[in-house]
Amino acid sequence: MTTRPRAILFDWDNTLVDSWGCIHACYNQTFRAFGHREWSLQETKTNVAKSLRDSFPTLFGERWPEARDVFYQTFEDVHLSYLQPLPGVVELLTLLHGEGIFLGVVSNKKGHFLRKEAEVLGWTGWFGALVGAQDAEADKPAPAPVHLALQNAPTVAGGEVWFVGDSPIDMQCAHNTGCVPVLLRGEPPHLGEFDLHPPAYCFEGCAAMGTLVRELSVPISLV
């Protein structure tokens, strides 16, 4: 039975804000600095999901701390110029906040950058928690950032919590914590993409998600 969530945790990049252009530019600037082949935009979308501390040792070997510093400096310089909410997100967050649902973010973007972007967008007041990479002892898909984000929520990780994201790592994080996995993105799942960690709901837009939450908020008449 579908039940109204008491808390909803969102991924940030490409779930609430359009980030691919910025992420792609920063990765390729880092690759150029280390003499690596640059990625196409599609390669970036396919390969980027984990936090830097989990992915850069594989990409750059022993020099990964240097590459991390190049990436973060590049990102610091440009990320606010790319910042753009995805369609319908403001309306969705306004609705959910008005419904009294606890809202939080669990992102693999460094926490400092995440909170700065939320502040610039004027969204900080909507969220009870903004948890980014390195804020918890491990990053998504580990359970630690989810539990951290829910410290002040009216419930704990489980069936009363929706975890909303756009990628397999988000669905994996939901499954790892017993939360309800919710896919929110403009394109439908690719064949086999979510075989290991399937979403419970797939929404191709914010309006559809908002409609379901509104329906779940209306008491059922027994008359």
Side-chain angles (χ1 to χ4, degrees):
M1 179 180 177
T2 301
T3 58
R4 181 182 187 271
R6 297 185 68 195
I8 299 177
L9 301 180
F10 287 93
D11 171 49
W12 185 258
D13 290 315
N14 304 303
T15 298
L16 299 180
V17 300
D18 185 353
S19 303
W20 282 125
C22 181
I23 293 169
H24 181 59
C26 293
Y27 265 84
N28 279 341
Q29 177 61 33
T30 307
F31 288 147
R32 286 194 294 272
F34 286 81
H36 289 207
R37 180 185 68 83
E38 295 182 29
W39 282 346
S40 67
L41 179 58
Q42 186 55 54
E43 286 176 306
T44 300
K45 290 182 176 182
T46 299
N47 294 326
V48 175
K50 296 180 179 179
S51 65
L52 263 65
R53 68 173 167 179
D54 289 338
S55 62
F56 267 38
T58 300
L59 291 171
F60 296 98
E62 293 182 354
R63 298 188 67 191
W64 80 266
E66 299 172 62
R68 174 200 58 201
D69 292 345
V70 171
F71 181 93
Y72 280 144
Q73 184 57 61
T74 304
F75 193 87
E76 181 83 59
D77 292 341
V78 304
H79 74 116
L80 294 180
S81 65
Y82 280 90
L83 192 58
Q84 182 67 39
L86 284 166
V89 165
V90 171
E91 292 80 3
L92 176 62
L93 295 177
T94 301
L95 166 68
L96 299 176
H97 186 263
E99 291 283 342
I101 298 171
F102 178 91
L103 303 179
V105 171
V106 174
S107 172
N108 275 342
K109 172 172 281 176
K110 193 174 181 181
H112 163 72
F113 295 132
L114 169 66
R115 290 181 282 275
K116 181 62 176 178
E117 292 185 3
E119 177 187 351
V120 168
L121 289 168
W123 292 3
T124 303
W126 280 328
F127 296 109
L130 289 158
V131 176
Q134 302 180 32
D135 289 338
E137 62 187 23
D139 300 322
K140 188 173 61 176
V146 170
H147 296 308
L148 179 60
L150 293 171
Q151 279 187 342
N152 296 316
T155 187
V156 297
E160 293 184 324
V161 180
W162 287 10
F163 194 105
V164 183
D166 70 304
S167 72
I169 201 170
D170 297 316
M171 301 303 100
Q172 181 181 359
C173 190
H175 281 267
N176 286 348
T177 52
C179 297
V180 178
V182 178
L183 184 67
L184 176 62
R185 70 182 193 190
E187 61 182 83
H190 309 309
L191 183 64
E193 186 178 10
F194 296 100
D195 284 354
L196 293 178
H197 304 100
Y201 304 106
C202 297
F203 299 112
E204 292 191 14
C206 292
M209 179 175 164
T211 296
L212 178 57
V213 172
R214 276 196 301 267
E215 290 175 352
L216 296 175
S217 301
V218 177
I220 298 174
S221 174
L222 299 179
V223 179

